[in-house]
Amino acid sequence: MRTTLLFLVLATTIATAKAAPVLVAVDLPDGPSRQHWVDLGHPTYAYVEPTAFAEVDEGDVATLSRHGLSARVIDRIPWRDQYYLVKAPVGVRAQLPGEVLWERGETVLVRVPADAVAAVCSLPARFHHVTRRAMGARFWEQFLVPTVPLRSLPWDPIVQTVVDQVSTDSLTAYIQRLQDFGSRLILGDSSYAASQLEAL
């Protein structure tokens, strides 16, 4: 009985150790690799073309390589600190607190302790707070659905991340609530309620 219990505890400990989540940077250089990544269903928290930042079980890193995806662990204990994507010139980069986990050109992913977040926000640089909110299928459609571009625009990962957070459902619901008030004239019955909604 005692041996069986010890074996179960040891097996559970080994399984848990292998399943520890890690933060990875996965290179997705073309359409098929992006499609394959989306099909695998790992939560992606940020994307700087062609690199996705995601959380996977540590044991899955080797599996990704067998699937032809180049993945490297950038943080073995994810989410203990804050993550920021920062686009800054070299002079400003030297002032960044925390640890640079990944970089490409002027864009870096930095792990910042909670007490140093204010220092990041005060720098003369563009930055985006990376949270544990996974990017949805709508984000990947722009890369996976063939389209004919009207004109070529330079792609900016910080701007794209902000744009992807806009919810068309929320905007539609907000406009519908305004329309449901009918008249918003000052003498109307619903003018005060409409003004409170518009002030949000």
Side-chain angles (χ1 to χ4, degrees):
M1 175 75 173
R2 182 177 269 178
T3 305
T4 305
L5 182 61
L6 181 61
F7 176 76
L8 287 173
V9 169
L10 183 61
T12 303
T13 304
I14 291 171
T16 304
K18 287 185 177 179
V22 294
L23 193 70
V24 294
V26 183
D27 290 329
L28 307 171
D30 53 26
S33 64
R34 290 185 198 113
Q35 183 64 62
H36 189 53
W37 173 252
V38 170
D39 293 342
L40 289 173
H42 294 292
T44 302
Y45 303 113
Y47 182 75
V48 178
E49 194 169 6
T51 305
F53 301 98
E55 187 176 319
V56 301
D57 290 337
E58 191 166 9
D60 289 340
V61 175
T63 304
L64 292 174
S65 295
R66 285 196 298 275
H67 282 283
L69 298 172
S70 172
R72 61 187 169 88
V73 176
I74 57 175
D75 197 352
R76 293 198 177 278
I77 308 173
W79 310 110
R80 62 187 163 177
D81 292 317
Q82 304 290 316
Y83 297 111
Y84 283 88
L85 273 171
V86 182
K87 188 168 186 177
V90 177
V92 174
R93 188 181 305 177
Q95 302 172 40
L96 284 172
E99 179 184 356
V100 173
L101 302 175
W102 174 92
E103 63 183 292
R104 175 172 292 124
E106 291 188 341
T107 305
V108 295
L109 179 70
V110 186
R111 184 178 63 211
V112 181
D115 60 350
V117 168
V120 172
C121 298
S122 67
L123 290 173
R126 292 169 46 194
F127 60 88
H128 171 71
H129 184 210
V130 177
T131 64
R132 207 171 190 175
R133 180 176 174 234
M135 301 168 122
R138 190 170 66 96
F139 171 81
W140 293 106
E141 286 175 6
Q142 65 186 314
F143 299 104
L144 302 177
V145 176
T147 58
V148 177
L150 297 176
R151 62 184 178 128
S152 179
L153 295 173
W155 189 82
D156 187 314
I158 307 280
V159 171
Q160 187 62 54
T161 305
V162 173
V163 168
D164 292 327
Q165 293 178 11
V166 174
S167 167
T168 54
D169 293 337
S170 295
L171 290 174
T172 303
Y174 182 80
I175 291 168
Q176 186 60 52
R177 283 189 292 173
L178 285 174
Q179 290 175 343
D180 290 343
F181 282 115
S183 173
R184 285 175 272 164
L185 297 175
I186 192 68
L187 300 177
D189 293 336
S190 59
S191 63
Y192 179 75
S195 70
Q196 294 303 305
L197 180 66
E198 289 179 327
L200 296 177

